Amino acid sequence: MTQTAEMTDSSLPHRPVLDTSSSLRAIDDATTELELVEEVLTAHFRRHALTLRKVGSELTPAVDAVGTRIGGGKRLRAAFCLWGARGAARGLSVPGVVELASAIELFHFAALVHDDVMDDSDTRRGLPTVHRHFADTHRAAARRGNSDTWGTAVAILVGDMCLSWSDDLVAAAVDTVGRDTRQAVRATWTEMRDEAYAGQYLDMLSQTEDHTDADRTERVLRYKSARYSIGQPLRLGGTLAGAGAELLADYDRIGLSAGEAFQLRDDILGVFGDEKITGKPAIDDIREGKRTMLMALAEESANRMERRVIADCLGNPELDADGAARMREILESTGALERVEQRITELAEDALGVVAGASVDERTRQALTSLVERCVWRRS
């Protein structure tokens, strides 16, 4: 089990967070599977990079941009996939699961590259986003054409490449399994992608409207985050290992509860988080007009003057630090922050309850417990 500590960030008082310096080892203390995921991703990227470089040295900047960004991250999706398989296999390692977990991470990387374009984000994990990086280098070199258009075009291409490379890894993962298992894994993979795309579309649609649609907010939570981040990775691993219907149903329940809590925490960090820890400015979500549950609850409880501030600030690309501070004050004064924190706690308890009763070996149970806690009580 991982260690917990008390947050010192004054904007998020009295909330336990995990000591992330030791949490990975607690999850992976007797295996090298998460380390193997990094190795598979690196080797897979290098093979494709070699092909690109053979075409011409002009491809080097694109290759380098992916290479410097593909490593790292929380790897929570990969970990859920790995332990979803071990849970179905009674703690044993499952052939192909490392490739499958790597495919999920590569798909996620591609989705982030595209998501940053859609959100017009400047940074990701402490680095310039791909589209911003190429726009800046285009501008610095005084090349012809519009720099921002060029940056967007390259980011779309980079994301597309990584999406196709993730499919290659899925094919490798199911190469040696039987037909039924192969078809079941592919069907789950396809469903995961479609749901993630649909959730992203609904999220973008919400940013075009003046008021928050509570039902749509719930669906974005479910499909863009909950099932995609936790439920489907668990199911993918379990399906590859031949999990029965009862265990897959438990995985779905864990995914929905822990996944929604994961996204709700992300929404809080998107407004109250420490930029040095999250790697992303805490003003971006407000500027982009993210209509999260946090915002929905604030609008619901706000007085007329507070609603006016929300309307002026949410989705305002020119929002400054003072405007963001006013929004944070309203999110606290209306009780929205407290209510979301309470909902996170309820969802975490539900997920941990399912983990406690799931038909898995004790080591897998402990690992899944630790993973759920990492999702819920995190600072990045």
Side-chain angles (χ1 to χ4, degrees):
M1 295 291 291
T2 52
Q3 300 293 319
T4 59
E6 289 298 317
M7 278 190 177
T8 57
D9 189 333
S10 60
S11 62
L12 292 172
H14 312 305
R15 292 295 170 185
V17 295
L18 293 184
D19 178 3
T20 54
S21 63
S22 62
S23 58
L24 181 61
R25 184 50 45 192
I27 290 170
D28 197 34
D29 56 358
T31 79
T32 60
E33 284 184 333
L34 276 174
E35 294 169 359
L36 288 175
V37 166
E38 296 295 337
E39 292 180 13
V40 166
L41 281 171
T42 299
H44 192 61
F45 163 70
R46 284 176 177 170
R47 285 193 293 272
H48 287 285
L50 182 61
T51 300
L52 294 174
R53 285 196 171 101
K54 284 180 179 178
V55 173
S57 60
E58 299 93 336
L59 275 297
T60 296
V63 171
D64 290 346
V66 176
T68 56
R69 290 166 172 80
I70 201 170
K74 291 180 280 293
R75 300 297 189 228
L76 286 172
R77 293 165 184 82
F80 276 112
C81 179
L82 295 170
W83 285 106
R86 281 187 175 267
R90 306 304 297 174
L92 299 176
S93 183
V94 177
V97 72
V98 171
E99 287 76 15
L100 189 58
S102 302
I104 296 171
E105 290 295 337
L106 193 49
F107 176 87
H108 184 58
F109 174 76
L112 291 180
V113 172
H114 285 167
D115 188 56
D116 287 337
V117 171
M118 298 174 205
D119 291 342
D120 197 26
S121 298
D122 292 327
T123 60
R124 169 74 65 177
R125 295 175 181 170
L127 293 173
T129 51
V130 173
H131 71 282
R132 191 69 70 221
H133 168 74
F134 279 98
D136 290 343
T137 56
H138 181 282
R139 191 174 291 109
R143 292 184 176 273
R144 294 181 61 184
N146 183 279
S147 297
D148 292 333
T149 300
W150 164 251
T152 296
V154 176
I156 291 172
L157 184 60
V158 165
D160 286 350
M161 285 193 301
C162 292
L163 287 174
S164 64
W165 297 348
S166 69
D167 269 351
D168 293 342
L169 283 172
V170 175
V174 299
D175 187 48
T176 61
V177 301
R179 178 184 176 186
D180 289 348
T181 299
R182 183 166 59 250
Q183 289 180 340
V185 171
R186 293 295 320 195
T188 302
W189 176 260
T190 298
E191 183 178 59
M192 180 198 75
R193 292 183 308 184
D194 290 348
E195 288 181 352
Y197 297 149
Q200 177 69 6
Y201 177 85
L202 293 178
D203 191 23
M204 292 189 303
L205 180 63
S206 295
Q207 295 175 46
T208 69
E209 298 173 344
D210 293 332
H211 299 286
T212 303
D213 183 320
D215 172 70
R216 186 183 298 150
T217 298
E218 288 284 351
R219 283 183 286 147
V220 170
L221 262 177
R222 172 167 294 199
Y223 294 112
K224 185 182 175 182
S225 184
R227 285 175 59 81
Y228 165 61
S229 298
I230 298 176
Q232 296 289 29
L234 276 171
R235 177 173 275 270
L236 279 165
T239 300
L240 183 67
E246 182 178 351
L247 181 57
L248 291 178
D250 282 342
Y251 284 172
D252 286 343
R253 280 191 61 195
I254 295 167
L256 284 177
S257 295
E260 288 192 20
F262 175 86
Q263 184 57 49
L264 291 175
R265 174 62 62 206
D266 209 52
D267 294 340
I268 290 175
L269 291 173
V271 179
F272 291 92
D274 183 341
E275 181 178 338
K276 295 178 181 178
I277 298 175
T278 64
K280 187 176 181 179
I283 200 171
D284 278 6
D285 281 6
I286 305 174
R287 282 178 174 168
E288 292 158 15
K290 294 283 187 181
R291 295 199 171 275
T292 62
M293 183 177 290
L294 187 65
M295 297 300 174
L297 292 174
E299 288 179 337
E300 178 185 291
S301 302
N303 59 38
R304 185 170 60 182
M305 184 171 294
E306 289 170 333
R307 286 197 186 98
R308 185 178 301 166
V309 173
I310 294 173
D312 290 342
C313 293
L314 192 59
N316 178 5
E318 305 301 324
L319 185 71
D320 58 16
D322 289 339
R326 288 197 297 274
M327 279 291 293
R328 294 186 189 102
E329 290 174 1
I330 290 172
L331 292 172
E332 292 187 271
S333 66
T334 58
L337 177 60
E338 182 179 358
R339 291 170 67 184
V340 171
E341 288 283 8
Q342 181 179 356
R343 180 59 178 158
I344 289 172
T345 300
E346 293 168 353
L347 289 166
E349 290 174 352
D350 181 69
L352 291 171
V354 178
V355 171
S359 180
V360 296
D361 63 286
E362 190 56 32
R363 184 161 169 266
T364 298
R365 193 183 326 279
Q366 291 178 2
L368 290 177
T369 298
S370 182
L371 279 168
V372 170
E373 290 175 346
R374 283 184 69 193
C375 287
V376 173
W377 311 120
R378 60 193 172 92
R379 298 183 66 184
S380 67

